[in-house]
Every structure is written in C-alpha cells, then in structure tokens.
Amino acid sequence: MSSAQVHVITHPLVQHKLTLMRQKDRSTSSFRRLLGEIGMLMAYEVTREMPTQLIEIETPLETMRAPVIDGKKTVFVSIMRAGAGFLDGMLNVVPGAR
C-alpha cells in the first residue's frame, strides 16, 4: 500500500492569485492566465526535490561544473480535465517534460 502525501501550497503569491481567480467578475481569459501562473509556481514547488547531476560547461570566464536536472524522462500528467490549465504553466517552467 502506498503512502499518499498531500502538499498544501500556502505561498502568498499562490494565495493572492487564487483570490483573484475566485472573484465572480473574473473574465475567462484572466482566469486561464492566473491558472497558468499558479501552474508555474506549483512547478517550482514540485521540482524542489528533483535529483541533479553536475555537468561541465564553458562560461565566459572559465570552465566549471554546474548542476542540471538528472534524467530526461520528466513527465507531468494531468489527472483531471481541470488540471490541464496547470499543465501549461508547468511546461513553461520545465519545457523538456513530456
């Protein structure tokens, strides 16, 4: 049996955008824009623990080892139709995800 975890995002920016979305006079396009912005903020939170690996890169000053996300198989899955709006925002932050 798996242990399900719920992470409640209480960040002030997310709470602010949720408040704006809940206003009854909010236009559909504004609602969608805010939903995408929340998706981007959520992507930041859900990728916090992603493993990284060091690669060697050339900077304008010197060669260095710098972190990149480990692996090429990051997948975001929208479980419900309502989650599709979040998906666009998340893919803006992690464009290589499937």
Side-chain angles (χ1 to χ4, degrees):
M1 179 186 264
S2 70
S3 163
Q5 293 182 354
V6 174
H7 183 84
V8 178
I9 300 173
T10 59
H11 192 284
L13 281 173
V14 173
Q15 295 302 311
H16 174 81
K17 291 176 185 305
L18 283 171
T19 297
L20 295 176
M21 288 174 66
R22 290 177 176 135
Q23 294 173 330
K24 71 176 183 176
D25 59 342
R26 179 70 42 201
S27 71
T28 302
S29 63
S30 177
F31 182 92
R32 286 185 182 142
R33 181 182 50 80
L34 288 162
L35 187 61
E37 290 172 7
I38 291 173
M40 288 189 282
L41 293 168
M42 286 176 57
Y44 179 81
E45 287 294 325
V46 301
T47 59
R48 181 180 301 277
E49 304 287 329
M50 286 185 85
T52 60
Q53 66 178 341
L54 294 176
I55 63 168
E56 192 165 300
I57 64 167
E58 295 266 342
T59 75
L61 301 176
E62 63 184 10
T63 299
M64 69 173 286
R65 292 179 56 78
V68 294
I69 293 174
D70 192 19
K72 296 181 172 118
K73 297 189 181 198
T74 302
V75 178
F76 294 132
V77 179
S78 173
I79 302 300
M80 299 175 69
R81 184 178 176 273
F86 289 118
L87 187 60
D88 290 337
M90 295 178 91
L91 289 172
N92 284 333
V93 177
V94 188
R98 296 189 252 168

